[in-house]
Amino acid sequence: AIERTFSIIKPDAVAKNHIGAIYNRFESAGLKIIASKMVHLSKEQAEGFYAEHSARPFFGALVSFMTSGPVMVQVLEGENAVVANREIMGATNPAEAARGTLRADYAASIDENAVHGSDAVESAAREIAYFFSADEVCPRTR
Ligand code: CMP
């Protein structure tokens, strides 16, 4: 089915000038970018976005990293978009990411791992709504 997923290019990949290369991976795989913006997350925004991880030992480092510089947030649309994007990204830990995936190519560590992608259609809807109003999402008509 045609799905939408939410994606973040994290501060490490933005700082290394990989925005275009990563967008090319999405588009080459048939995913359409139907919403996009650059934001420098506040501590409150990052804590709210990652609330499900608030009890994890890495939470403080995660929030600190995610607020360390601007990120690109985008909505990707396409066939099976949630799983398709997870395949493009590769495993959370770049040491375990398959060759040719974004994490294998652009991530330095599990903490600074270049990209985030929704893990399910339900979380995608929640994450999209966290960053984008309805009028900022622009499905293609051609
Ligand atoms: P992300 O998909 O953005 O969701 C939470 C992030 O926490 C994850 O990517 C990793 O970058 C980071 N993280 C750090 N340590 C861990 C861990 N042990 N397990 C899962 N995520 C971790």
Side-chain angles (χ1 to χ4, degrees):
I2 300 290
E3 295 173 352
R4 291 178 182 180
T5 192
F6 176 73
S7 162
I8 303 177
I9 301 178
K10 296 188 180 186
D12 57 328
V14 172
K16 292 176 191 159
N17 249 2
H18 293 319
I19 296 168
I22 291 172
Y23 273 21
N24 187 35
R25 297 280 183 100
F26 297 150
E27 295 196 321
S28 295
L31 294 175
K32 295 182 164 105
I33 300 162
I34 62 166
S36 170
K37 61 188 168 188
M38 182 175 279
V39 302
H40 193 142
L41 298 180
S42 68
K43 185 164 178 281
E44 291 69 28
Q45 273 179 308
E47 286 174 346
F49 181 76
Y50 282 120
E52 66 188 291
H53 296 300
S54 62
R56 306 283 292 272
F58 57 81
F59 186 66
L62 175 62
V63 170
S64 170
F65 166 60
M66 290 300 293
T67 58
S68 67
V71 300
M72 290 297 300
V73 294
Q74 46 278 328
V75 179
L76 308 177
E77 185 176 78
E79 186 65 33
N80 208 16
V82 171
V83 166
N85 182 42
R86 293 184 75 79
E87 288 175 359
I88 292 165
M89 293 192 296
T92 303
N93 185 347
E96 295 164 8
R99 284 179 61 173
T101 62
L102 291 174
R103 263 86 172 249
D105 290 343
Y106 299 119
S109 70
I110 192 169
D111 295 297
E112 303 205 359
N113 68 349
V115 283
H116 164 83
S118 308
D119 62 7
V121 170
E122 297 72 32
S123 49
R126 175 171 45 80
E127 292 175 356
I128 290 167
Y130 192 82
F131 282 103
F132 292 102
S133 58
D135 66 296
E136 290 179 308
V137 180
C138 303
R140 303 295 167 74
T141 53
R142 54 177 286 175

